[in-house]
Amino acid sequence: MWLFKRKGPSGFSSSSTAEEVTNGINGSGLTAIVTGASSGIGSETARVLALRGVNVTMGVRNMVAGKQVKEAILKEIPSAKVDTMELDLSSLTSVRKFASEFTSSGRPLNLLVNNAGVMATPFTLSKDNIELQFATNHLGHFLLTHLLVETMKKTAREMKREGRIVNVSSVAHRFTYSEGIRFNKLNDKEGYNSWAAYGQSKLANILHANELARRLKEDGAQITANSLHPGSITTNLFRHLGVFEGFLSTVGKFVFKNIPQGASTTCYVALHPQVKGMSGEYFSDNNVAKPSLKAADTDLSKKLWDFSMDLIK
């Protein structure tokens, strides 16, 4: 049970569910990609978008789990249009393969939900020798967006309908390293802190969305880019916390959001008419919120963009 239920200007609150914030919205004709859709708020996001008529492609690392989610959605919603494709955000090769296969299929793309993530992992380097949380949570999504944005622009032009890019960040972006993004110490094992590294990756999600919003507006593209904090939710993101995981799972049901509530802000930003034309914003509890000062730093967002472009080359 979520304890705080005061509604914001949108008419929704922290206790609103994904189904509630999309009630009455017809997503028929729209195509979406949702990353990390094999569990948690990702699978709920995919389910609710499919419930509203959206054609959903679930980008999943674990194909077995992804197919199980697909089957569960189809059992509940026989008319759902949902598919799974393999996508490991920690591997740039996997991201390129996914984007290439999706693009070559000729499918349109209206909504890109960058949801997948890992949290507070022990120090690990990705297959591309980049700190794992930064690689998975930010860089993989940065590359994916980079490779799919032209498809989104084309879709928006042909359908004359706004495209939306949604980066799932976290309030943890406030608790990053003192410098915000450790451009020169990204892979520094000695100075690594699992929670600060998580905060760094979540800060990067917001900075990415902000700079992308600026560039899309400059290009005159009919696509928005926003970021959000889904809320504190008991999901398998806690799997690296050992004994503490059990405590959080037990206590969490009284103080944290459940998964339908946790997926609500993502679905709100992706589908709701209230969000039309809004870009470069940060949302929490289904309302516009204020991120940290670092997250609003335009110079930092531009620096991260250039740094990320160099890494994906």
Side-chain angles (χ1 to χ4, degrees):
M1 181 184 71
W2 188 241
L3 301 178
F4 308 103
K5 300 184 177 181
R6 197 173 77 178
K7 292 180 179 179
S10 69
F12 302 112
S13 71
S14 59
S15 65
S16 300
T17 66
E19 286 197 24
E20 288 169 350
V21 302
T22 58
N23 185 38
I25 297 174
N26 184 358
S28 297
L30 299 180
T31 300
I33 289 174
V34 180
T35 70
S38 61
S39 65
I41 63 173
S43 62
E44 177 68 356
T45 299
R47 184 189 74 82
V48 173
L49 292 181
L51 179 67
R52 302 307 176 211
V54 179
N55 188 333
V56 180
T57 294
M58 302 188 299
V60 297
R61 184 173 54 83
N62 184 334
M63 285 295 285
V64 173
K67 286 175 181 176
Q68 289 173 345
V69 171
K70 175 184 174 180
E71 287 168 6
I73 291 173
L74 289 172
K75 186 176 180 180
E76 179 197 346
I77 317 160
S79 63
K81 300 181 183 72
V82 60
D83 200 7
T84 56
M85 287 177 62
E86 188 171 7
L87 174 61
D88 180 354
L89 271 302
S90 72
S91 164
L92 297 180
T93 298
S94 177
V95 173
R96 291 183 191 281
K97 182 172 181 288
F98 175 94
S100 176
E101 289 178 356
F102 185 89
T103 303
S104 62
S105 73
R107 278 176 282 185
L109 183 59
N110 305 92
L111 311 172
L112 175 59
V113 180
N114 292 320
N115 165 82
V118 293
M119 182 175 74
T121 58
F123 180 81
T124 311
L125 292 180
S126 71
K127 295 172 185 174
D128 303 288
N129 290 316
I130 298 165
E131 189 276 310
L132 187 64
Q133 296 193 78
F134 188 87
T136 306
N137 299 352
H138 165 65
L139 195 64
H141 285 124
F142 180 89
L143 175 60
L144 181 67
T145 305
H146 178 69
L147 295 174
L148 293 175
V149 73
E150 289 305 318
T151 298
M152 293 194 72
K153 288 179 181 178
K154 182 173 181 283
T155 301
R157 285 196 303 270
E158 292 178 351
M159 292 182 67
K160 294 182 172 56
R161 185 160 182 171
E162 175 183 277
R164 296 184 184 182
I165 297 168
V166 183
N167 282 3
V168 179
S169 180
S170 168
V171 71
H173 79 273
R174 298 180 182 278
F175 309 110
T176 180
Y177 296 106
S178 59
E179 59 267 55
I181 307 292
R182 307 183 94 196
F183 295 106
N184 299 319
K185 298 179 182 178
L186 192 62
N187 296 338
D188 180 15
K189 185 176 181 180
E190 295 304 313
Y192 180 78
N193 177 288
S194 61
W195 283 105
Y198 178 65
Q200 173 180 245
S201 70
K202 295 288 99 180
L203 172 62
N205 291 152
I206 301 175
L207 293 171
H208 172 218
N210 291 351
E211 179 62 11
L212 181 59
R214 187 188 70 79
R215 288 168 178 262
L216 288 168
K217 185 177 180 181
E218 201 172 68
D219 289 346
Q222 198 180 353
I223 303 171
T224 62
N226 294 292
S227 58
L228 64 94
H229 168 50
S232 298
I233 310 141
T234 50
T235 70
N236 64 2
L237 275 179
F238 291 125
R239 62 187 175 272
H240 295 288
L241 304 187
V243 179
F244 195 43
E245 178 186 0
F247 170 77
L248 283 175
S249 295
T250 302
V251 176
K253 66 184 70 174
F254 299 106
V255 295
F256 291 164
K257 291 183 179 182
N258 58 37
I259 287 173
Q261 292 167 336
S264 66
T265 305
T266 305
C267 290
Y268 173 75
V269 177
L271 270 191
H272 207 286
Q274 288 179 355
V275 186
K276 185 177 181 181
M278 298 175 71
S279 196
E281 298 286 356
Y282 172 73
F283 293 79
S284 180
D285 297 333
N286 301 295
N287 286 276
V288 175
K290 276 196 172 183
S292 69
L293 290 176
K294 280 189 173 68
D297 187 332
T298 54
D299 290 334
L300 187 60
S301 67
K302 290 175 184 176
K303 186 175 181 180
L304 175 65
W305 184 279
D306 293 339
F307 180 73
S308 302
M309 286 298 292
D310 286 341
L311 287 177
I312 63 173
K313 289 175 185 174

